[in-house]
Amino acid sequence: MTPAISPTKQATALVVIQIICFAAAGLGSVATTANIPTWYATLAKPSWNPPNWLFGPVWTVLYICMAVAAWLVWRQGGWGQARRPLTLFAVQLALNAAWSWIFFGFHMPGAAFLEVLILLAAIAATAVAFWPKSKAAAILMSPYLLWVAFASVLNFTIWRLNA
């Protein structure tokens, strides 16, 4: 049995994990924000492309869910008891930030599509690794997985429309 983690340490961990997740979001947004009204606005997009204003709120909710999921797994005994699932979480978070740079920063939708497929696999692997530690954590990763699956199709379509 793992020792209990103090409420103060739990609260601190939740804040730290939220900061890490939103730092990744911020890193991705550095590449994204300036390119939305310029390069991205010039691309052909499908009729079902969501409006630009929708992405911010959706990603905010997803990053909160991701952070809470990682925290729930961490609570099951800390880093020592959850090294593999939390490492997978860190990998998918890095891939998440990298996608923004590949797609928006480097203007490479084709390469971004390949990268987002790897991201999808990493998210799925993370959710599977979270399941034995916390079913709630795995479920919290589901909306993220679904959104990135949708984003993958959108990425592919934009790439093909602009090739």
Side-chain angles (χ1 to χ4, degrees), residues 73-88:
V73 169
W74 174 86
R75 282 182 56 206
Q76 300 305 309
W79 175 256
Q81 297 295 316
R83 186 174 317 272
R84 181 177 173 274
L86 292 176
T87 298
L88 285 169

Side-chain angles (χ1 to χ4, degrees), residues 32-53:
T32 304
T33 305
N35 283 290
I36 290 174
T38 57
W39 174 75
Y40 186 69
T42 68
L43 296 176
K45 295 175 220 49
S47 61
W48 45 269
N49 188 75
N52 290 342
W53 64 263

Side-chain angles (χ1 to χ4, degrees), residues 2-136:
T2 58
I5 301 171
S6 75
T8 302
K9 191 171 183 180
Q10 287 189 43
T12 301
L14 179 57
V15 169
V16 167
I17 294 169
Q18 287 281 358
I19 289 169
I20 291 167
C21 286
F22 281 98
L27 184 61
S29 74
V30 168
T32 304
T33 305
N35 283 290
I36 290 174
T38 57
W39 174 75
Y40 186 69
T42 68
L43 296 176
K45 295 175 220 49
S47 61
W48 45 269
N49 188 75
N52 290 342
W53 64 263
L54 184 64
F55 289 92
V58 167
W59 277 110
T60 299
V61 170
L62 294 175
Y63 279 112
I64 290 168
C65 289
M66 290 163 49
V68 171
W71 176 73
L72 288 171
V73 169
W74 174 86
R75 282 182 56 206
Q76 300 305 309
W79 175 256
Q81 297 295 316
R83 186 174 317 272
R84 181 177 173 274
L86 292 176
T87 298
L88 285 169
F89 182 83
V91 167
Q92 68 77 29
L93 196 59
L95 287 166
N96 179 305
W99 180 88
S100 295
W101 281 93
I102 297 167
F103 187 90
F104 287 102
F106 303 132
H107 305 167
M108 298 173 63
F113 176 66
L114 295 175
E115 195 272 359
V116 79
L117 295 178
I118 297 166
L119 172 58
L120 268 173
I123 296 167
T126 301
V128 168
F130 277 11
W131 186 263
K133 297 286 182 186
S134 168
K135 289 176 182 34

